[in-house]
Amino acid sequence: MRIMDTANPRKTLLKLDESLLSHLPPFSRLAKSQIRVILDQATSKRLDAGVAVFNEGDPADRFYMLLDGYVRVLRITPMGEQVTALHIPSGQLLGIAQALGRDTYPATAVTASDSIVLSWPMRLWDVFVAEYDGFATETRKTIGNRVGEMNTRIVEMATQQVEQRVANALLRLINQTGRKVEGGILIDFPITRQDLSELTATTLHTVSRLLSAWEKQGIVVSKRKEIKVLNPHALVELSQS
DNA sequence: ACATTAATTATGT
DNA sequence: ACATAATTAATGT
């Protein structure tokens, strides 16, 4: 029987079941007993939306597995503006500075929705890599994917116009974090026009105009902090005109 | 082709 | 009632 740490609700222990990790790529090749010892070393936390998981430049003392929710990775420009580098959906690792050969976090991670994260002290990273089959190769894959995405976004910024950039950003969002609903695909976490503008290096006003225009054309519908894509194909066309 | 500024309206606690 | 989000128009680069 598990005693909850009621004195410290921020760090409340959930009942951690092996099935939480067993289907996730970095751990999928492991036996139940192995996952058990991994879980026993983990700290779990519930985080509200908009809370920093870690900050750019902080000593990278822990790494994280996002169990539920979404996290966006931010960088601050020299002039103090936020730029969103990418979104991370649940089931992925984050704060994996060690894999990049760093001892500080290269960016800030903020929860985009209510989230649940597991974390381990960074000193366990090398142990995981050495002892757990598939852990290293899977994390390499996700790193590769993220670098790839950031690259294509940089190319977009340099070559495409605003309308095509936000169209592309929306398409990526529905691909990575979209949930099928009645008549379209819904972005699965609260997203403002400000957020979208930070993803596409434009202003919230321009995003607002574009979304309004697209809504009239029946391509999207949006409420406050909510965007649903009705016609992805139309966005694809917009993104390559 | 876009940003900026500003005024106005809507929406959630 | 208050703060935050979104829209809209006018003006600037």
Side-chain angles (χ1 to χ4, degrees), chain A residues 45-49 53 65-72 87-92 94 110-117 176-177 188-190:
Chain A
K45 259 195 224 177
R46 252 236 40 190
L47 297 176
D48 290 333
V53 182
M65 164 60 73
L66 184 59
L67 277 188
D68 192 31
Y70 294 92
V71 165
R72 52 176 158 223
H87 285 88
I88 298 181
S90 54
Q92 287 195 212
L94 68 152
V110 175
T111 54
S113 64
D114 290 0
S115 301
I116 298 174
V117 295
Q176 298 169 3
T177 75
D188 201 21
F189 58 88

Side-chain angles (χ1 to χ4, degrees), chain A residues 58-226:
Chain A
D58 285 355
D61 55 340
R62 304 184 74 81
F63 64 99
Y64 299 83
M65 164 60 73
L66 184 59
L67 277 188
D68 192 31
Y70 294 92
V71 165
R72 52 176 158 223
V73 176
L74 307 177
R75 303 224 48 208
I76 312 293
T77 70
M79 295 170 308
E81 290 138 25
Q82 286 193 357
V83 178
T84 302
L86 71 140
H87 285 88
I88 298 181
S90 54
Q92 287 195 212
L93 295 166
L94 68 152
I96 48 185
Q98 186 92 321
L100 307 172
R102 304 192 39 135
D103 55 355
T104 62
Y105 296 113
T108 297
V110 175
T111 54
S113 64
D114 290 0
S115 301
I116 298 174
V117 295
L118 296 184
S119 72
W120 297 266
M122 196 60 93
R123 60 178 173 75
L124 289 181
W125 181 268
D126 293 322
V127 179
F128 281 28
V129 168
E131 308 218 329
Y132 299 129
D133 186 32
F135 184 84
T137 61
E138 286 301 328
T139 59
R140 270 181 231 294
K141 278 189 205 167
T142 69
I143 290 172
N145 287 338
R146 290 182 197 173
V147 173
E149 182 183 338
M150 300 212 269
N151 269 336
T152 64
R153 299 215 319 112
I154 289 170
V155 172
E156 281 177 24
M157 304 276 200
T159 61
Q160 301 186 330
Q161 315 223 107
V162 171
E163 187 178 38
Q164 316 172 13
R165 296 208 302 266
V166 312
N168 273 318
L170 263 184
L171 285 171
R172 261 194 303 276
L173 283 172
I174 61 173
N175 280 334
Q176 298 169 3
T177 75
R179 193 178 36 139
K180 278 130 230 149
V181 292
E182 283 274 321
I185 306 168
L186 185 68
I187 295 177
D188 201 21
F189 58 88
I191 183 163
T192 66
R193 284 125 227 270
Q194 176 82 39
D195 295 333
L196 246 186
S197 72
E198 285 168 3
L199 252 176
T200 53
T202 178
T203 63
L204 74 155
H205 309 262
T206 300
V207 171
S208 177
R209 277 188 272 271
L210 286 171
L211 285 180
S212 301
W214 292 347
E215 180 142 11
K216 280 175 193 163
Q217 299 168 226
I219 301 173
V220 304
V221 286
S222 63
K223 304 178 198 160
R224 119 183 312 224
K225 292 195 177 189
E226 181 183 316

Side-chain angles (χ1 to χ4, degrees), chain A residues 19 27 34 110 139 219 237:
Chain A
S19 64
F27 305 106
Q34 293 177 297
V110 175
T139 59
I219 301 173
E237 301 214 313

